[in-house]
Amino acid sequence: MLTKTLNPICTDEAPPVRLSASDRIRYRLIGADCRYHANDNISAFIEEGELEELKAEVQSRMQEVLQALVIDTDSDHNTNDTAMRVAKMFIHEVFKGRYVPMPAVTEFPNASRLNQLMIVGPIKVRSACSHHLCPIMGRVWIGVLPNEHSNLIGLSKYARICDWIMSRPQIQEEAVTMLADELQQRVKPDGLAIVIEADHFCMHWRGVKDDESMMTNSVMRGAFLKEPALRREFLSLLSKKAG
Ligand SMILES: [Zn+2]
């Protein structure tokens, strides 16, 4: 009788190719049917240690960009470490809102039943446009009309949530809606109003080189939509603050 022995460990096979961190993360996102546009937060799909891997990957690709731009990064001392600096800036600073979970926000019940218009701002906005990755600098004002069931959050938390949303490549109109959704869900107010006014550096640095253009967007929800007096009060207080 002929017996055939199968060796379960096949030694002459090449080890499996290890996917890059970005491929692994993308694989999980696609598997979960989860959108990963420039202004989406994908932190739930990133495992421990992968952010550092991502940074190294961005650095090596950025080095290729510099090479493609025919910049001699070896002898040009100014650009020796540019790829490394840009990768760090993207992952840990200007686009960090894509890669880290939302900052912890403690919500308090509205024990004293505050129901007066509350305005937070101006909060400094630092973002980048999705089209050119150029900076966007501006200010945000948030108006909240709480009810007795609303959750209140500390004033500084508005700024932290705003920074988390803005630290991604953004489109101003989408950013303001994202911020409104996040606050609506957390605070559950009767009314929510957000105004953003920002300066788009892609207008100064390139293109039309127009130095005067500021873009303003607003989102009004709940009571701010239904009550013109409330909306007027918010806008008038805001213009006094802006002055
Ligand atoms: Zn742009």
Side-chain angles (χ1 to χ4, degrees), residues 128-136 200-203 206:
C129 80
S130 291
H131 298 148
H132 306 93
L133 303 185
C134 281
I136 297 174
H200 291 239
F201 281 57
C202 52
M203 299 287 281
R206 53 158 298 286

Side-chain angles (χ1 to χ4, degrees), residues 118-137:
M118 189 177 85
I119 299 179
V120 189
I123 298 170
K124 203 173 202 169
V125 165
R126 296 187 301 179
S127 194
C129 80
S130 291
H131 298 148
H132 306 93
L133 303 185
C134 281
I136 297 174
M137 308 291 247

Side-chain angles (χ1 to χ4, degrees), residues 29-227:
L29 284 158
I30 293 168
D33 200 18
C34 189
R35 199 181 88 155
Y36 55 104
H37 290 184
N39 56 4
D40 287 326
N41 180 278
I42 57 166
S43 61
F45 297 87
I46 301 174
E47 290 176 5
E48 213 182 319
E50 285 183 337
L51 215 46
E52 287 310 302
E53 277 184 70
L54 267 191
K55 191 173 76 179
E57 209 180 314
V58 173
Q59 178 178 339
S60 83
R61 303 278 172 89
M62 191 49 67
Q63 184 59 39
E64 286 173 21
V65 171
L66 292 168
Q67 229 167 317
L69 290 167
V70 201
I71 293 173
D72 178 3
T73 58
D74 288 331
S75 48
D76 175 6
H77 57 278
N78 293 321
T79 57
N80 278 169
D81 297 323
T82 295
M84 188 253 301
R85 284 187 214 101
V86 173
K88 186 177 166 210
M89 176 181 78
F90 281 172
I91 300 284
H92 292 307
E93 296 172 297
V94 297
F95 301 155
K96 70 172 186 297
R98 301 194 75 231
Y99 306 109
V100 298
M102 198 185 82
V105 174
T106 318
E107 294 156 14
F108 312 96
N110 187 0
S112 43
R113 300 182 171 225
L114 301 172
N115 61 356
Q116 298 294 309
L117 170 62
M118 189 177 85
I119 299 179
V120 189
I123 298 170
K124 203 173 202 169
V125 165
R126 296 187 301 179
S127 194
C129 80
S130 291
H131 298 148
H132 306 93
L133 303 185
C134 281
I136 297 174
M137 308 291 247
R139 301 184 293 179
V140 163
W141 291 264
I142 300 167
V144 177
L145 187 72
N147 63 38
E148 73 252 46
H149 306 297
S150 294
N151 299 311
L152 303 179
I153 61 175
L155 287 184
S156 65
K157 300 298 192 271
Y158 286 94
R160 295 191 63 189
I161 295 176
C162 185
D163 182 55
W164 179 67
I165 302 261
M166 296 301 168
S167 301
R168 310 171 189 180
Q170 276 287 10
I171 296 299
Q172 189 168 319
E173 307 89 298
E174 292 178 6
V176 71
T177 307
M178 271 189 170
L179 180 59
D181 291 344
E182 205 59 58
L183 291 175
Q184 184 73 44
Q185 198 189 323
R186 230 143 277 278
V187 183
K188 300 184 175 66
D190 271 355
L192 178 68
I194 302 180
V195 170
I196 176 172
E197 173 197 82
D199 204 357
H200 291 239
F201 281 57
C202 52
M203 299 287 281
H204 302 303
W205 195 26
R206 53 158 298 286
V208 291
K209 296 191 173 154
D210 179 355
D211 281 335
E212 299 301 318
S213 53
M214 292 288 269
M215 184 172 166
T216 306
N217 286 94
S218 65
V219 167
M220 301 281 162
R221 292 194 179 165
F224 286 93
L225 267 185
K226 288 179 234 139
E227 297 168 30

